[in-house]
Amino acid sequence: MPTNNEIAKILSETADILEIQGAIVFRVRAYRNAARVIENMTDKLSDIVARNPDELNSIRTIGKTLHDKIIEFCETGKVEEFDKLKESLPPGLLEMLKIQSFGPKRVKLVYNKLGIDSVNKLEEAASEGKIRVLPGMGEKSETKILKSIRDFRTLQTDRKPWAEAEEILQNYLGYITKIDGIHHIQPAGSFRRCRESVGDLDILVTCNENAGGIIQHFAEYPEVLEILAQGETKSSVVLKSKIQVDLRVVKPESFGAAMQYFTGSKEHNVALRALAKDKNMKLSEYGVFQNDESIAGKSEEEVYNAIGLDWIPPEIRENRGEIEKAKNHTLPNLISLDKIKGDLHCHTTHTDGSASLPEMAAAAKKLGYEYIAITDHSKAVTIAHGLSAERLLDEIMEIDKFRGQNPGIYIFKGIEVDIMADGSLDLDDEILSKLDFAIAAIHSRFGMNSDEMTERIVRAIQNPYVRCVAHPTGRLIGERIPYEMDISKIISAAKENDVALEINSSPHRLDMNESFTFQAREAGVPICINTDSHSPDGFLNMRYGINIARRAWCTEDNIVNSWSLGKLKSWFKPPKEVVQCELF
Ligand code: DGT
Ligand code: CA
Ligand code: CA
């Protein structure tokens, strides 16, 4: 069954093709809106279709035509009309759409006027100065197109984002477990280590008998596109969603050793084997052996203990110093979802959120949170209907009133204030002083050079009311590369001014990434894990940010939104003491 992401993708590609072909605006918009709604849904559309297709009618943005297409896709794995549409266009046009700032209108323009139908041809034409003659284009556009093409090539990857892989895996596991005889079934590999993307999925199964039947059943999954290998205890397939899945069947007595081995990382395993060797032991996927006798293997804990180590959480098995810590019993006590007490970045209907302030508060309370911060956009983000000082005052009043109704969750007054090109903020200090804190963020002028961008962000950090920088590098996964900046200078400015850096948990952002977070944590910078929710469902993305934080060795001390309400209130107390940083 297709995932919501896959359904959304096919709808939005249809919208693109229709637009290139010059279809009427309403038709294009219908596909695009439906794609956006489906992408953000938590219920699985394919489950709804399997249960009762009529339920699709209750989803506002799905009209009759789309209704039928979704059912066709869920039932047959394709949409005939979409395939026909796709065939009617040169395939390179769709690839050109993936170039930043190159929407359907521009694709249509260069195709109709110059016959350009691939990224390569576009690159050639731009470097030969042939684009500048087109309406609305100039020399600058050509430079921009060439840079975008370079970025596009950087973003091309065969790896799947973790969240997407998870959905595919859950469906597969649901199918695999229908066969009798399985004891344990566990994902391993980079998925278990919660890397932000995975190359392929690895699954381990234990059973006492019927290994052959399990392998057979695994390969008969209707979503399998191709069987790459099939043996007595292992199989590899490629799914229709273009991801490889490796299955291993092992005996229960070596499950721990196999989990350890197939979880990796390879670098961690190599170091572990060397350590075992030093102790005259042998570590393999079957167990730990001393004089050819198995001394451990059933559980991972047993395996680690046998070679003198504490059990190491999968997320930090990267040979970055964790083995030494496991030897000395000083492994960090990693942050986890249950330790999160609130979310410090979300939006409401005051700007581009889809739920009201009380609805967002109720959703957060339902998750067991003690507090949230309402941080709508500021006026520079016109597309989100950002707040002027006057409208922010209205929101502040609403929060005061809401607090008076004892909602059972504490509401911090915040703003996601835009950082202007020169590093000043979109709202002045007078209005910011009426808030508990401001989150500073960039939503424009992404193309500055590293020095300019670094200075811009550092200036924002030095504002007395700013306590956090949101999505610090601006990347959008698969769409936009991080802006250029000097990460170490941002980290030291944040440290000196006691300003938090955000791990934005949206699966489209995951920003900071793990290496930036690792450096920030080592420098002692406070870190917020926020969802940037625009709807109640958005709060559920917190776990993706937790993955990043755990991989970066973060503990409760490092994560601001695991602190108690009292501690947070006294930390926020504006204005903060500002430390001017030397930049150059
Ligand atoms: P991926 O799939 O590229 O995201 O990364 P992994 O870590 O899932 O790598 P994968 O699927 O090639 O292999 C799964 C695990 O198996 C890996 O994390 C460690 C183990 N492994 C694979 N090849 C080797 C190897 O050559 N030596 C050792 N010691 N372990 C290996
Ligand atoms: Ca893998
Ligand atoms: Ca693999």
Side-chain angles (χ1 to χ4, degrees):
M1 281 294 192
T3 64
N4 285 357
N5 263 325
E6 286 163 345
I7 298 172
K9 200 168 154 214
I10 205 167
L11 294 179
S12 95
E13 278 187 12
T14 306
D16 291 339
I17 300 178
L18 288 172
E19 194 169 353
I20 294 174
Q21 291 184 332
I24 55 166
V25 172
F26 296 110
R27 209 164 153 223
V28 176
R29 207 177 286 155
Y31 278 91
R32 209 153 270 153
N33 288 344
R36 192 166 332 122
V37 167
I38 291 167
E39 200 181 67
N40 290 314
M41 270 174 63
T42 35
D43 289 336
K44 279 192 198 150
L45 218 50
S46 54
D47 287 350
I48 296 177
V49 170
R51 193 167 61 224
N52 176 12
D54 287 343
E55 277 183 44
L56 288 183
N57 296 330
S58 62
I59 304 171
R60 237 180 327 128
T61 42
I62 301 184
K64 173 79 182 117
T65 324
L66 288 180
H67 179 278
D68 294 346
K69 299 222 158 49
I70 290 169
I71 294 175
E72 184 187 346
F73 191 43
C74 288
E75 286 174 352
T76 66
K78 56 183 196 174
V79 181
E80 209 170 301
E81 192 193 321
F82 172 72
D83 289 346
K84 275 196 195 136
L85 272 175
K86 221 171 155 174
E87 276 166 25
S88 70
L89 284 185
L93 291 191
L94 286 178
E95 195 178 51
M96 276 159 68
L97 281 170
K98 293 185 188 142
I99 295 168
Q100 183 75 22
S101 78
F102 228 75
K105 280 193 193 69
R106 287 190 156 188
V107 170
K108 199 170 139 186
L109 179 72
V110 297
Y111 178 53
N112 288 343
K113 300 277 182 200
L114 302 172
I116 292 173
D117 61 3
S118 71
V119 173
N120 287 345
K121 285 187 194 164
L122 180 66
E123 189 174 31
E124 206 179 293
S127 38
E128 289 169 2
K130 288 181 180 158
I131 304 283
R132 63 186 72 168
V133 298
L134 296 175
M137 299 281 194
E139 243 182 283
K140 261 196 179 154
S141 335
E142 284 172 344
T143 318
K144 220 168 154 187
I145 288 170
L146 288 172
K147 176 174 187 310
S148 300
I149 292 176
R150 284 195 300 277
D151 294 349
F152 160 78
R153 298 216 163 102
T154 314
L155 289 166
Q156 291 296 297
T157 161
D158 292 335
R159 300 178 68 83
K160 277 253 186 285
W162 190 88
E164 230 175 276
E166 185 193 35
E167 201 178 345
I168 295 167
L169 177 73
Q170 293 302 353
N171 289 342
Y172 209 168
L173 293 181
Y175 163 86
I176 299 171
T177 45
K178 286 194 185 123
I179 191 165
D180 289 339
I182 292 178
H183 277 216
H184 292 285
I185 179 160
Q186 288 289 340
S190 54
F191 179 82
R192 182 169 179 237
R193 301 198 313 280
C194 299
R195 270 192 70 175
E196 76 174 46
S197 67
V198 305
D200 67 13
L201 284 165
D202 306 280
I203 302 175
L204 269 190
V205 160
T206 61
C207 67
N208 281 323
E209 52 199 32
N210 198 22
I214 293 169
I215 294 279
Q216 185 67 26
H217 175 68
F218 171 80
E220 281 167 1
Y221 185 41
E223 292 297 308
V224 167
L225 182 72
E226 193 188 346
I227 299 172
L228 299 176
Q230 199 169 348
E232 276 171 25
T233 57
K234 59 181 170 187
S235 174
S236 285
V237 299
V238 177
L239 299 183
K240 288 176 189 160
S241 45
K242 305 280 159 53
I243 186 167
Q244 182 177 327
V245 188
D246 296 340
L247 178 80
R248 285 276 181 152
V249 184
V250 299
K251 292 242 154 18
E253 58 266 27
S254 57
F255 181 60
M259 275 302 278
Q260 196 293 310
Y261 181 87
F262 291 107
T263 295
S265 66
K266 196 170 158 186
E267 293 72 17
H268 174 87
N269 286 358
V270 168
L272 229 55
R273 278 173 190 225
L275 184 71
K277 207 168 162 214
D278 285 348
K279 293 179 182 281
N280 283 325
M281 295 177 191
K282 194 175 154 271
L283 172 66
S284 77
E285 61 206 89
Y286 302 105
V288 183
F289 299 85
Q290 201 161 28
N291 305 324
D292 286 335
E293 193 188 321
S294 166
I295 58 165
K298 204 165 184 307
S299 75
E300 263 193 345
E301 192 149 21
E302 200 180 274
V303 170
Y304 279 99
N305 293 169
I307 52 174
L309 302 178
D310 289 342
W311 178 82
I312 301 175
E315 292 91 337
I316 61 171
R317 298 183 192 172
E318 300 289 344
N319 197 26
R320 285 194 283 225
E322 73 279 9
I323 295 173
E324 196 60 26
K325 296 231 176 226
K327 209 184 290 174
N328 302 331
H329 312 294
T330 53
L331 281 170
N333 190 5
L334 302 181
I335 187 76
S336 53
L337 190 55
D338 57 305
K339 290 173 188 153
I340 294 297
K341 295 197 174 66
D343 202 319
L344 299 175
H345 184 171
C346 71
H347 298 270
T348 72
T349 41
H350 281 267
T351 60
D352 59 347
S354 67
S356 67
L357 194 154
E359 284 168 339
M360 291 301 274
K365 190 181 161 199
K366 212 168 146 196
L367 292 174
Y369 286 164
E370 292 172 28
Y371 48 77
I372 50 165
I374 301 292
T375 55
D376 271 308
H377 288 287
S378 66
K379 62 186 191 304
V381 194
T382 45
I383 193 173
H385 196 41
L387 302 177
S388 60
E390 206 178 7
R391 287 178 52 223
L392 178 54
L393 273 177
D394 289 343
E395 189 168 39
I396 291 173
M397 263 160 54
E398 189 188 347
I399 295 176
D400 279 329
K401 204 168 127 207
F402 189 66
R403 280 180 181 171
Q405 297 164 355
N406 297 322
I409 177 164
Y410 190 81
I411 314 290
F412 284 112
K413 297 170 185 168
I415 182 87
E416 180 179 9
V417 63
D418 252 57
I419 307 176
M420 312 313 282
D422 63 357
S424 65
L425 299 180
D426 187 23
L427 293 170
D428 59 34
D429 286 3
E430 195 199 328
I431 179 78
L432 297 183
S433 72
K434 299 188 192 319
L435 300 166
D436 293 305
F437 80 123
I439 296 183
I442 285 177
H443 293 101
S444 62
R445 300 282 306 275
F446 302 118
M448 291 178 151
N449 70 35
S450 175
D451 286 353
E452 289 169 345
M453 191 57 104
T454 306
E455 194 175 348
R456 180 181 180 186
I457 298 172
V458 169
R459 267 199 73 192
I461 287 174
Q462 289 168 343
N463 175 285
Y465 300 98
V466 166
R467 265 290 173 214
C468 179
V469 177
H471 37 76
T473 75
R475 75 154 169 180
L476 293 176
I477 289 174
E479 275 178 52
R480 189 167 72 209
I481 59 166
Y483 20 81
E484 288 180 27
M485 59 186 200
D486 186 332
I487 285 181
S488 63
K489 286 187 176 139
I490 303 288
I491 287 177
S492 52
K495 169 67 187 160
E496 289 194 39
N497 284 281
D498 202 17
V499 163
L501 296 176
E502 177 182 82
I503 298 175
N504 190 294
S505 307
S506 159
H508 301 294
R509 290 191 181 269
L510 299 178
D511 182 14
M512 307 180 279
N513 68 6
E514 76 177 64
S515 93
F516 192 169
T517 309
F518 200 95
Q519 295 169 59
R521 193 239 342 124
E522 280 198 312
V525 174
I527 292 164
C528 290
I529 312 177
N530 294 330
T531 60
D532 198 354
S533 295
H534 286 69
S535 69
D537 280 351
F539 286 131
L540 302 175
N541 289 337
M542 180 65 74
R543 58 204 192 91
Y544 306 126
I546 295 277
N547 285 351
I548 304 278
R550 287 175 65 86
R551 289 186 54 82
W553 297 34
C554 293
T555 67
E556 279 172 276
D557 275 352
N558 308 121
I559 304 299
V560 170
N561 51 319
S562 74
W563 296 352
S564 71
L565 177 61
K567 182 171 173 185
L568 204 50
K569 275 183 178 172
S570 57
W571 185 66
F572 277 150
K573 265 212 170 59
K576 68 175 198 270
E577 213 176 294
V578 171
V579 180
Q580 297 292 334
C581 305
E582 283 230 3
L583 274 179
F584 307 106

